[in-house]
Amino acid sequence: MTLEAAGATNQLLGKGDIPPVHETNAAGSAPFLLICDHYGRALPHALGDLGVAESELTRHIAWDIGIAGVAERLARMLDAHLIAQRYSRLVIDCNRPPGVASSIPVISEATVIPRNEGMSTDERDARRREIFDPYHGRINAVIDARVHARRPTVLVALHSFTPDYAGVARPWHIGTLYHRDTVLPHLLLKHLRSESDLVVGDNEPYAVSDLTDYTIPVHGEARGLFNTGIEIRQDLITDQSGQQQWAERLARIFAEIEKELRAEGLV
């Protein structure tokens, strides 16, 4: 069924489609609020397969491979609230400002996304209204509630990255991503660099900016929260063993960071 056939209201999600927002441990007591923009790779039934082969829909262009398993485990280990987004970034990228070309990509890396070509304004609006807005609305509501309850909130956005890009190998095991706030990223960098087996990226392989990112600028920086993005190399977290090991490592590190923030009266 095409979106145009879904009804005069241009509704995208219908019966049988999952809600866009997924949460784990909403009552968690930790100051950390975990965010996962590219957690899932679901497609609305109305969009079919986007005109893309299944082999492409399991690649990084569709979601952040492995990060869902890390995020779920880390939320439990830290007793932190996790808010995640279930739909593929090829439907709408929930970490891109709406309206930019990469928000609803016509091409991702070398893969053309036929269903995203020649879209009407109504269809673009439906994707934002039914996926992007509920997700970011939920994040905003949770932060509002925490502020009202005088609960500290430290925003951590979780992502994964490909081992190589355009034929160039990426040496980092993990990277921190940040822009205006340097408190949390620098603490994280200090702890990660103390791990002798890691190659750590400082704003590598990506850096946060207002033009290329949404979650950290809007929910972290604009609201004055300590914040950082984390990128883990995908080949390290493809299976459950790797996901468990990285969740354990990050849980240990963030527990130490929480102690430091509390000692300074910052949370």
Side-chain angles (χ1 to χ4, degrees), residues 19 39 107 121 188 193:
Y39 176 100
I107 185 168
T121 299
L188 182 57
R193 285 169 171 165

Side-chain angles (χ1 to χ4, degrees), residues 108-204:
S108 183
E109 295 183 3
T111 301
V112 174
I113 318 300
R115 190 62 181 77
N116 290 351
E117 295 182 299
M119 290 175 54
S120 68
T121 299
D122 284 348
E123 185 169 350
R124 288 183 176 275
D125 289 347
R127 295 193 193 189
R128 177 173 181 176
R129 182 178 64 249
E130 298 184 45
I131 295 176
F132 184 98
D133 288 349
Y135 174 60
H136 287 290
R138 180 57 182 157
I139 296 171
N140 197 51
V142 166
I143 295 173
D144 281 346
R146 293 173 73 108
V147 170
H148 182 74
R150 299 183 181 277
R151 288 189 58 196
T153 301
V154 178
L155 189 74
V156 180
L158 299 167
H159 296 270
S160 69
F161 67 96
T162 55
D164 58 80
Y165 184 76
V168 178
R170 289 163 154 175
W172 312 283
H173 299 104
I174 188 171
T176 61
L177 283 63
Y178 57 96
H179 187 202
R180 296 176 180 89
D181 175 37
T182 57
V183 174
L184 183 59
H186 286 178
L187 281 174
L188 182 57
L189 281 168
K190 178 187 73 173
H191 283 277
L192 288 172
R193 285 169 171 165
S194 71
E195 310 267 310
S196 61
D197 60 331
L198 294 184
V199 178
V200 181
D202 181 350
N203 263 338
E204 296 285 0

Side-chain angles (χ1 to χ4, degrees), residues 6-252:
T9 58
N10 286 311
Q11 182 175 341
L12 173 63
L13 301 181
K15 187 176 181 180
D17 283 318
I18 59 174
V21 183
H22 166 75
E23 296 183 69
T24 293
N25 200 28
S29 63
F32 301 105
L33 177 60
L34 308 180
I35 304 298
C36 199
D37 301 318
H38 305 139
Y39 176 100
R41 61 181 187 93
L43 300 175
H45 289 100
L47 300 183
D49 59 8
L50 296 173
V52 177
E54 175 64 22
S55 59
E56 294 293 293
L57 294 174
T58 59
R59 294 181 56 229
H60 175 72
I61 63 171
W63 65 328
D64 277 2
I65 296 168
I67 202 62
V70 176
E72 292 288 345
R73 289 168 172 82
L74 184 59
R76 291 193 294 269
M77 292 176 190
L78 286 176
D79 193 25
H81 188 176
L82 165 67
I83 304 177
Q85 200 286 117
R86 289 185 169 114
Y87 282 92
S88 173
R89 66 201 304 172
L90 298 178
V91 177
I92 186 167
D93 192 323
C94 286
N95 191 37
R96 296 291 181 270
V100 302
S102 57
S103 170
I104 303 177
V106 172
I107 185 168
S108 183
E109 295 183 3
T111 301
V112 174
I113 318 300
R115 190 62 181 77
N116 290 351
E117 295 182 299
M119 290 175 54
S120 68
T121 299
D122 284 348
E123 185 169 350
R124 288 183 176 275
D125 289 347
R127 295 193 193 189
R128 177 173 181 176
R129 182 178 64 249
E130 298 184 45
I131 295 176
F132 184 98
D133 288 349
Y135 174 60
H136 287 290
R138 180 57 182 157
I139 296 171
N140 197 51
V142 166
I143 295 173
D144 281 346
R146 293 173 73 108
V147 170
H148 182 74
R150 299 183 181 277
R151 288 189 58 196
T153 301
V154 178
L155 189 74
V156 180
L158 299 167
H159 296 270
S160 69
F161 67 96
T162 55
D164 58 80
Y165 184 76
V168 178
R170 289 163 154 175
W172 312 283
H173 299 104
I174 188 171
T176 61
L177 283 63
Y178 57 96
H179 187 202
R180 296 176 180 89
D181 175 37
T182 57
V183 174
L184 183 59
H186 286 178
L187 281 174
L188 182 57
L189 281 168
K190 178 187 73 173
H191 283 277
L192 288 172
R193 285 169 171 165
S194 71
E195 310 267 310
S196 61
D197 60 331
L198 294 184
V199 178
V200 181
D202 181 350
N203 263 338
E204 296 285 0
Y206 309 108
V208 173
S209 80
D210 295 332
L211 298 177
T212 59
D213 296 81
Y214 188 89
T215 297
I216 284 179
V218 171
H219 298 297
E221 295 176 342
R223 302 203 58 161
L225 305 179
F226 294 123
N227 65 84
T228 191
I230 291 177
E231 290 271 0
I232 305 173
R233 206 174 69 202
Q234 288 170 3
D235 59 316
L236 305 176
I237 55 172
T238 302
D239 59 24
Q240 293 191 22
S241 175
Q243 293 161 16
Q244 179 72 19
Q245 290 172 19
W246 274 94
E248 289 175 353
R249 190 194 295 257
L250 288 174
R252 171 171 49 79

